Amino acid sequence: MHFCNFLLVASTAALAVAAPSASEKKRAKKFQWFGVNESGAEFGNAALPGQLNKDYTWPPTSTVDTLVGKGMNAFRVPIMMERLIPTKMTGSMNATYRDPMVQYLNYITSKGAYAILDPHNFGRYYNNIITDYSGFQAWWKTVATLFVNNDKIIFDCNNEPHDMGSASVKQLMQACIDGVRSSGATSQYIFVEGTSYSGAWTWVSSGNGADLLSLTDPSDKIVYEMHQYLDTDGSGTSANCVSSTIGSERLKAATAWLKTNKKKGILGEFAGGANTQCQNAVKDLLSYMGSNTDVWMGALWWGGGPWWGTYIYSMEPPSGSGYTSTLPLMLPYI
Ligand SMILES: *[C@@H]1O[C@H](CO)[C@@H](O)[C@H](O)[C@H]1NC(C)=O
Ligand SMILES: CC(=O)N[C@H]1CO[C@H](CO)[C@@H](O)[C@@H]1O
Protein backbone atom coordinates (compact mmCIF):
# COMPACT_ATOMS: atom_id res chain seq x y z
CA MET A 1 0.00 0.00 0.00
CA HIS A 2 2.76 2.38 0.90
CA PHE A 3 4.80 1.52 -2.10
CA CYS A 4 3.06 4.25 -4.07
CA ASN A 5 5.09 6.68 -2.01
CA PHE A 6 8.39 5.09 -2.97
CA LEU A 7 9.55 7.60 -5.51
CA LEU A 8 7.53 10.45 -4.17
CA VAL A 9 9.75 10.30 -1.14
CA ALA A 10 12.64 9.43 -3.39
CA SER A 11 12.31 12.80 -5.01
CA THR A 12 12.47 14.42 -1.61
CA ALA A 13 15.56 12.40 -0.85
CA ALA A 14 17.06 13.58 -4.12
CA LEU A 15 16.95 17.12 -2.87
CA ALA A 16 18.90 16.11 0.18
CA VAL A 17 21.77 14.34 -1.57
CA ALA A 18 24.47 15.73 -3.80
CA ALA A 19 23.45 16.24 -7.39
CA PRO A 20 24.59 13.41 -9.64
CA SER A 21 27.79 14.07 -11.50
CA ALA A 22 27.64 14.65 -15.25
CA SER A 23 29.09 11.21 -15.91
CA GLU A 24 26.51 9.60 -13.65
CA LYS A 25 23.71 11.42 -15.45
CA LYS A 26 25.05 10.40 -18.81
CA ARG A 27 25.30 6.79 -17.71
CA ALA A 28 21.83 6.78 -16.29
CA LYS A 29 20.24 7.80 -19.55
CA LYS A 30 21.75 4.84 -21.29
CA PHE A 31 19.79 2.21 -19.39
CA GLN A 32 16.74 1.27 -21.36
CA TRP A 33 15.01 -0.01 -18.24
CA PHE A 34 15.27 0.85 -14.58
CA GLY A 35 12.71 -0.11 -12.02
CA VAL A 36 11.57 -2.53 -9.38
CA ASN A 37 9.88 -5.82 -8.81
CA GLU A 38 6.33 -5.25 -7.59
CA SER A 39 5.51 -8.17 -5.34
CA GLY A 40 2.16 -9.31 -4.02
CA ALA A 41 0.38 -11.56 -6.48
CA GLU A 42 2.88 -14.40 -5.97
CA PHE A 43 2.68 -14.27 -2.17
CA GLY A 44 1.15 -17.05 -0.10
CA ASN A 45 1.96 -19.68 -2.66
CA ALA A 46 1.62 -22.44 -0.11
CA ALA A 47 -2.07 -21.73 -0.60
CA LEU A 48 -3.12 -22.43 -4.17
CA PRO A 49 -5.18 -20.95 -5.59
CA GLY A 50 -5.48 -18.85 -2.45
CA GLN A 51 -7.71 -15.94 -1.71
CA LEU A 52 -7.31 -12.38 -2.90
CA ASN A 53 -6.18 -10.00 -0.14
CA LYS A 54 -5.72 -12.87 2.27
CA ASP A 55 -3.04 -15.00 0.65
CA TYR A 56 -2.01 -12.62 -2.10
CA THR A 57 -2.67 -9.11 -3.33
CA TRP A 58 -2.20 -6.80 -6.31
CA PRO A 59 -0.02 -3.74 -5.80
CA PRO A 60 -2.05 -0.52 -6.07
CA THR A 61 -2.16 1.22 -9.44
CA SER A 62 -1.57 4.56 -7.76
CA THR A 63 2.05 3.46 -7.34
CA VAL A 64 2.53 3.45 -11.03
CA ASP A 65 1.67 7.12 -11.53
CA THR A 66 4.16 8.18 -8.90
CA LEU A 67 6.98 5.91 -10.00
CA VAL A 68 6.66 6.70 -13.67
CA GLY A 69 6.49 10.38 -12.83
CA LYS A 70 9.87 10.06 -11.16
CA GLY A 71 11.58 8.31 -14.03
CA MET A 72 11.17 4.59 -13.51
CA ASN A 73 9.99 2.76 -16.58
CA ALA A 74 9.95 -0.96 -15.81
CA PHE A 75 7.93 -2.98 -13.34
CA ARG A 76 8.39 -6.72 -12.95
CA VAL A 77 5.19 -8.28 -11.72
CA PRO A 78 5.53 -11.75 -10.16
CA ILE A 79 2.48 -13.99 -10.48
CA MET A 80 1.72 -17.68 -9.92
CA MET A 81 1.16 -19.87 -12.96
CA GLU A 82 -1.29 -22.08 -11.02
CA ARG A 83 -3.44 -19.15 -9.99
CA LEU A 84 -3.77 -17.92 -13.55
CA ILE A 85 -4.34 -21.33 -15.17
CA PRO A 86 -5.31 -23.87 -12.49
CA THR A 87 -5.37 -27.67 -12.69
CA LYS A 88 -3.39 -28.13 -15.88
CA MET A 89 -1.20 -25.91 -18.04
CA THR A 90 -3.37 -26.52 -21.09
CA GLY A 91 -6.45 -25.38 -19.16
CA SER A 92 -8.26 -22.06 -19.21
CA MET A 93 -7.72 -18.95 -17.17
CA ASN A 94 -9.30 -18.12 -13.82
CA ALA A 95 -11.02 -14.77 -14.31
CA THR A 96 -10.70 -13.83 -10.63
CA TYR A 97 -6.94 -13.77 -11.01
CA ARG A 98 -6.73 -12.86 -14.69
CA ASP A 99 -8.82 -9.73 -14.76
CA PRO A 100 -7.01 -7.67 -12.10
CA MET A 101 -3.71 -8.88 -13.54
CA VAL A 102 -4.60 -7.65 -17.02
CA GLN A 103 -5.87 -4.39 -15.57
CA TYR A 104 -2.71 -3.86 -13.56
CA LEU A 105 -0.32 -4.64 -16.42
CA ASN A 106 -2.26 -2.54 -18.91
CA TYR A 107 -2.30 0.28 -16.42
CA ILE A 108 1.48 0.22 -16.21
CA THR A 109 1.86 0.30 -19.98
CA SER A 110 -0.78 3.00 -20.40
CA LYS A 111 1.66 5.21 -18.50
CA GLY A 112 4.40 4.53 -21.01
CA ALA A 113 6.32 2.05 -18.85
CA TYR A 114 7.11 -1.58 -19.55
CA ALA A 115 5.28 -4.27 -17.59
CA ILE A 116 7.20 -7.51 -17.16
CA LEU A 117 4.92 -10.49 -16.64
CA ASP A 118 6.86 -12.88 -14.40
CA PRO A 119 5.49 -16.34 -13.59
CA HIS A 120 7.41 -16.72 -10.32
CA ASN A 121 7.49 -20.50 -10.53
CA PHE A 122 11.16 -21.59 -10.47
CA GLY A 123 10.57 -23.85 -13.47
CA ARG A 124 7.85 -25.72 -11.57
CA TYR A 125 4.10 -26.21 -11.71
CA TYR A 126 2.52 -27.36 -8.45
CA ASN A 127 6.10 -27.86 -7.23
CA ASN A 128 6.96 -30.37 -9.93
CA ILE A 129 9.74 -29.51 -12.36
CA ILE A 130 8.08 -28.80 -15.67
CA THR A 131 8.99 -31.42 -18.26
CA ASP A 132 5.80 -31.11 -20.30
CA TYR A 133 7.19 -28.52 -22.67
CA SER A 134 4.18 -28.53 -24.98
CA GLY A 135 1.95 -27.91 -21.95
CA PHE A 136 4.17 -25.00 -20.96
CA GLN A 137 4.04 -23.70 -24.52
CA ALA A 138 0.23 -23.87 -24.37
CA TRP A 139 0.23 -21.97 -21.06
CA TRP A 140 2.22 -19.17 -22.64
CA LYS A 141 0.15 -19.10 -25.81
CA THR A 142 -3.04 -18.69 -23.77
CA VAL A 143 -1.55 -15.95 -21.60
CA ALA A 144 0.22 -14.01 -24.36
CA THR A 145 -3.04 -13.84 -26.31
CA LEU A 146 -4.20 -11.33 -23.70
CA PHE A 147 -1.52 -8.87 -24.78
CA VAL A 148 -1.10 -9.36 -28.50
CA ASN A 149 -1.60 -5.67 -29.23
CA ASN A 150 0.42 -4.27 -26.34
CA ASP A 151 4.07 -3.92 -27.26
CA LYS A 152 5.09 -2.63 -23.82
CA ILE A 153 4.38 -5.95 -22.17
CA ILE A 154 7.48 -8.09 -21.66
CA PHE A 155 7.10 -11.82 -21.24
CA ASP A 156 9.49 -13.22 -18.59
CA CYS A 157 9.34 -16.96 -19.31
CA ASN A 158 9.90 -18.21 -15.77
CA ASN A 159 11.54 -17.03 -12.59
CA GLU A 160 14.74 -18.73 -11.44
CA PRO A 161 14.71 -22.34 -12.59
CA HIS A 162 16.98 -24.44 -10.37
CA ASP A 163 18.06 -28.01 -9.71
CA MET A 164 17.43 -28.81 -13.32
CA GLY A 165 19.97 -28.98 -16.12
CA SER A 166 20.60 -26.04 -18.40
CA ALA A 167 19.65 -28.20 -21.39
CA SER A 168 16.19 -28.75 -19.87
CA VAL A 169 15.86 -25.06 -19.12
CA LYS A 170 16.71 -24.35 -22.73
CA GLN A 171 13.76 -26.49 -23.82
CA LEU A 172 11.53 -24.72 -21.31
CA MET A 173 12.54 -21.27 -22.56
CA GLN A 174 12.17 -22.25 -26.19
CA ALA A 175 8.66 -23.55 -25.47
CA CYS A 176 7.84 -20.18 -23.92
CA ILE A 177 9.16 -18.28 -26.92
CA ASP A 178 7.25 -20.52 -29.31
CA GLY A 179 4.04 -20.23 -27.27
CA VAL A 180 4.23 -16.45 -27.08
CA ARG A 181 4.94 -16.00 -30.77
CA SER A 182 2.24 -18.45 -31.83
CA SER A 183 -0.33 -16.35 -29.97
CA GLY A 184 0.31 -13.54 -32.42
CA ALA A 185 2.32 -11.52 -29.90
CA THR A 186 5.30 -10.86 -32.14
CA SER A 187 6.44 -7.35 -31.23
CA GLN A 188 7.23 -7.83 -27.54
CA TYR A 189 10.51 -8.51 -25.80
CA ILE A 190 10.89 -11.93 -24.16
CA PHE A 191 13.11 -12.33 -21.10
CA VAL A 192 14.63 -15.79 -20.73
CA GLU A 193 16.21 -17.11 -17.54
CA GLY A 194 18.63 -19.92 -16.85
CA THR A 195 19.16 -22.61 -14.23
CA SER A 196 20.92 -22.02 -10.90
CA TYR A 197 18.38 -19.30 -10.16
CA SER A 198 19.54 -17.49 -13.28
CA GLY A 199 22.55 -16.20 -11.38
CA ALA A 200 24.79 -13.89 -13.38
CA TRP A 201 27.87 -15.13 -11.51
CA THR A 202 27.19 -18.75 -12.53
CA TRP A 203 25.78 -17.99 -15.97
CA VAL A 204 28.70 -19.56 -17.81
CA SER A 205 29.75 -22.23 -15.28
CA SER A 206 26.19 -23.58 -14.87
CA GLY A 207 25.94 -24.38 -18.55
CA ASN A 208 23.41 -21.65 -19.27
CA GLY A 209 25.90 -19.84 -21.44
CA ALA A 210 26.42 -22.82 -23.71
CA ASP A 211 22.84 -24.10 -23.81
CA LEU A 212 20.76 -20.94 -23.93
CA LEU A 213 22.86 -19.46 -26.68
CA SER A 214 20.96 -21.47 -29.27
CA LEU A 215 17.49 -20.20 -28.35
CA THR A 216 15.71 -18.86 -31.40
CA ASP A 217 13.06 -16.20 -31.77
CA PRO A 218 11.54 -15.27 -35.13
CA SER A 219 11.10 -11.72 -33.79
CA ASP A 220 14.69 -11.58 -32.53
CA LYS A 221 13.74 -9.91 -29.24
CA ILE A 222 15.26 -12.21 -26.64
CA VAL A 223 16.85 -10.56 -23.61
CA TYR A 224 18.83 -12.73 -21.18
CA GLU A 225 17.63 -12.07 -17.64
CA MET A 226 20.09 -12.72 -14.86
CA HIS A 227 19.89 -12.13 -11.13
CA GLN A 228 22.69 -11.06 -8.83
CA TYR A 229 22.76 -10.66 -5.10
CA LEU A 230 25.85 -9.55 -3.26
CA ASP A 231 25.92 -11.74 -0.14
CA THR A 232 28.32 -14.65 0.39
CA ASP A 233 26.25 -17.36 -1.24
CA GLY A 234 24.58 -14.99 -3.72
CA SER A 235 21.12 -15.98 -2.52
CA GLY A 236 19.87 -12.57 -1.46
CA THR A 237 19.14 -13.69 2.08
CA SER A 238 21.75 -11.73 4.02
CA ALA A 239 22.03 -8.02 4.68
CA ASN A 240 25.82 -8.27 4.30
CA CYS A 241 27.86 -8.00 1.12
CA VAL A 242 31.14 -9.77 0.42
CA SER A 243 33.02 -6.62 -0.58
CA SER A 244 32.42 -3.24 -2.15
CA THR A 245 33.40 -4.57 -5.57
CA ILE A 246 31.64 -7.92 -5.48
CA GLY A 247 28.94 -6.75 -7.90
CA SER A 248 31.22 -5.91 -10.78
CA GLU A 249 33.32 -9.01 -10.07
CA ARG A 250 30.29 -11.28 -10.21
CA LEU A 251 29.06 -9.73 -13.45
CA LYS A 252 32.32 -9.97 -15.38
CA ALA A 253 32.00 -13.43 -16.91
CA ALA A 254 28.35 -12.90 -17.88
CA THR A 255 29.18 -9.52 -19.38
CA ALA A 256 31.95 -11.08 -21.46
CA TRP A 257 29.52 -13.80 -22.58
CA LEU A 258 26.95 -11.20 -23.66
CA LYS A 259 29.58 -9.25 -25.59
CA THR A 260 31.20 -12.23 -27.25
CA ASN A 261 27.87 -13.56 -28.39
CA LYS A 262 26.30 -10.19 -29.19
CA LYS A 263 23.39 -10.74 -26.79
CA LYS A 264 21.45 -8.35 -24.55
CA GLY A 265 21.03 -8.76 -20.80
CA ILE A 266 18.80 -7.40 -18.05
CA LEU A 267 19.60 -7.67 -14.35
CA GLY A 268 16.12 -8.75 -13.31
CA GLU A 269 16.83 -8.86 -9.58
CA PHE A 270 19.52 -7.25 -7.48
CA ALA A 271 19.77 -5.85 -3.97
CA GLY A 272 22.09 -5.35 -1.04
CA GLY A 273 21.56 -4.59 2.63
CA ALA A 274 21.42 -1.09 4.07
CA ASN A 275 25.01 -0.71 5.19
CA THR A 276 28.04 1.08 3.82
CA GLN A 277 29.72 -1.97 2.33
CA CYS A 278 26.57 -3.03 0.46
CA GLN A 279 25.79 0.49 -0.65
CA ASN A 280 29.25 0.83 -2.13
CA ALA A 281 28.74 -2.56 -3.74
CA VAL A 282 25.40 -1.48 -5.26
CA LYS A 283 27.02 1.65 -6.61
CA ASP A 284 29.90 -0.35 -8.04
CA LEU A 285 27.44 -2.76 -9.67
CA LEU A 286 25.43 0.01 -11.31
CA SER A 287 28.57 1.86 -12.41
CA TYR A 288 29.89 -1.28 -14.01
CA MET A 289 26.61 -1.92 -15.81
CA GLY A 290 26.53 1.74 -16.78
CA SER A 291 29.81 1.36 -18.60
CA ASN A 292 28.54 -1.73 -20.38
CA THR A 293 25.18 -0.58 -21.67
CA ASP A 294 25.99 -2.03 -25.07
CA VAL A 295 24.91 -5.32 -23.50
CA TRP A 296 23.15 -4.46 -20.22
CA MET A 297 19.72 -2.96 -20.87
CA GLY A 298 18.78 -2.21 -17.30
CA ALA A 299 18.26 -3.29 -13.71
CA LEU A 300 15.37 -4.02 -11.36
CA TRP A 301 15.66 -3.79 -7.57
CA TRP A 302 14.16 -6.56 -5.45
CA GLY A 303 11.78 -5.69 -4.04
CA GLY A 304 8.84 -3.46 -3.67
CA GLY A 305 5.21 -4.10 -2.95
CA PRO A 306 2.75 -3.60 -0.16
CA TRP A 307 3.38 -6.70 1.99
CA TRP A 308 7.12 -6.85 2.61
CA GLY A 309 7.15 -5.59 6.20
CA THR A 310 10.66 -5.30 7.65
CA TYR A 311 12.37 -7.21 4.84
CA ILE A 312 16.15 -6.55 4.61
CA TYR A 313 15.94 -5.05 1.10
CA SER A 314 12.59 -3.33 1.50
CA MET A 315 12.02 -0.18 -0.51
CA GLU A 316 8.92 0.45 1.54
CA PRO A 317 8.49 3.93 3.01
CA PRO A 318 8.63 5.31 5.55
CA SER A 319 11.09 2.98 7.25
CA GLY A 320 12.16 0.24 4.81
CA SER A 321 15.94 0.13 5.17
CA GLY A 322 16.68 0.02 1.46
CA TYR A 323 14.32 2.90 0.97
CA THR A 324 15.72 5.13 3.66
CA SER A 325 19.40 4.66 2.97
CA THR A 326 20.18 2.92 -0.32
CA LEU A 327 17.68 4.57 -2.61
CA PRO A 328 19.47 7.96 -2.71
CA LEU A 329 22.54 6.23 -4.13
CA MET A 330 20.53 4.78 -6.97
CA LEU A 331 18.76 7.96 -8.01
CA PRO A 332 21.49 8.94 -10.47
CA TYR A 333 20.73 5.78 -12.40
CA ILE A 334 17.00 6.30 -12.74
C1 LIG B 1 -10.07 -18.69 -9.02
O1 LIG B 1 -9.30 -17.77 -8.28
C2 LIG B 1 -9.81 -17.38 -7.03
C3 LIG B 1 -8.86 -16.35 -6.44
O2 LIG B 1 -7.55 -16.59 -6.78
C4 LIG B 1 -9.98 -18.60 -6.15
O3 LIG B 1 -10.55 -18.20 -4.92
C5 LIG B 1 -10.84 -19.63 -6.86
O4 LIG B 1 -10.92 -20.78 -6.06
C6 LIG B 1 -10.24 -19.96 -8.21
N1 LIG B 1 -11.01 -20.94 -8.93
C7 LIG B 1 -10.47 -22.05 -9.39
C8 LIG B 1 -11.37 -22.96 -10.15
O5 LIG B 1 -9.30 -22.33 -9.24
C1 LIG C 1 16.02 -12.96 -2.69
C2 LIG C 1 14.62 -12.84 -2.21
O1 LIG C 1 14.28 -11.92 -1.53
N1 LIG C 1 13.81 -13.78 -2.59
C3 LIG C 1 12.43 -13.77 -2.18
C4 LIG C 1 11.64 -13.31 -3.33
O2 LIG C 1 10.31 -13.30 -3.01
C5 LIG C 1 9.79 -14.56 -2.72
C6 LIG C 1 8.33 -14.37 -2.55
O3 LIG C 1 7.88 -13.63 -3.58
C7 LIG C 1 10.48 -15.11 -1.49
O4 LIG C 1 10.01 -16.41 -1.23
C8 LIG C 1 11.97 -15.13 -1.74
O5 LIG C 1 12.66 -15.48 -0.57
Side-chain angles (χ1 to χ4, degrees), residues 49-52 56 82-83 86 94-97:
Q51 259 175 269
L52 177 61
Y56 72 90
E82 300 88 347
R83 285 185 177 140
N94 176 330
T96 308
Y97 196 70

Side-chain angles (χ1 to χ4, degrees), residues 173-224:
M173 296 298 141
Q174 190 63 59
C176 160
I177 296 166
D178 296 345
V180 167
R181 296 309 183 212
S182 70
S183 75
T186 54
S187 64
Q188 294 87 350
Y189 286 99
I190 296 179
F191 288 179
V192 297
E193 301 192 33
T195 195
S196 293
Y197 303 89
S198 219
W201 64 331
T202 54
W203 188 257
V204 176
S205 62
S206 65
N208 287 328
D211 282 318
L212 272 63
L213 192 55
S214 56
L215 290 171
T216 57
D217 172 18
S219 301
D220 198 22
K221 297 193 91 170
I222 294 175
V223 179
Y224 289 84

Side-chain angles (χ1 to χ4, degrees), residues 130-265:
I130 300 171
T131 52
D132 172 11
Y133 304 119
S134 68
F136 188 64
Q137 181 170 335
W139 188 95
W140 264 115
K141 183 180 182 187
T142 303
V143 175
T145 304
L146 297 167
F147 303 105
V148 165
N149 297 316
N150 188 342
D151 63 10
K152 286 218 147 76
I153 296 286
I154 295 172
F155 303 109
D156 184 343
C157 290
N158 222 264
N159 180 68
E160 298 191 350
H162 64 90
D163 296 291
M164 51 197 290
S166 49
S168 306
V169 175
K170 189 234 160 168
Q171 287 180 271
L172 194 68
M173 296 298 141
Q174 190 63 59
C176 160
I177 296 166
D178 296 345
V180 167
R181 296 309 183 212
S182 70
S183 75
T186 54
S187 64
Q188 294 87 350
Y189 286 99
I190 296 179
F191 288 179
V192 297
E193 301 192 33
T195 195
S196 293
Y197 303 89
S198 219
W201 64 331
T202 54
W203 188 257
V204 176
S205 62
S206 65
N208 287 328
D211 282 318
L212 272 63
L213 192 55
S214 56
L215 290 171
T216 57
D217 172 18
S219 301
D220 198 22
K221 297 193 91 170
I222 294 175
V223 179
Y224 289 84
E225 175 175 338
M226 305 180 199
H227 296 173
Q228 192 61 63
Y229 291 93
L230 308 171
D231 47 350
T232 309
D233 66 0
S235 65
T237 50
S238 164
N240 300 320
C241 294
V242 176
S243 74
S244 59
T245 53
I246 191 65
S248 58
E249 287 163 26
R250 284 184 174 170
L251 285 194
K252 278 208 171 79
T255 303
W257 180 86
L258 290 167
K259 285 180 192 260
T260 301
N261 297 296
K262 303 196 169 14
K263 303 294 186 190
K264 300 287 187 189

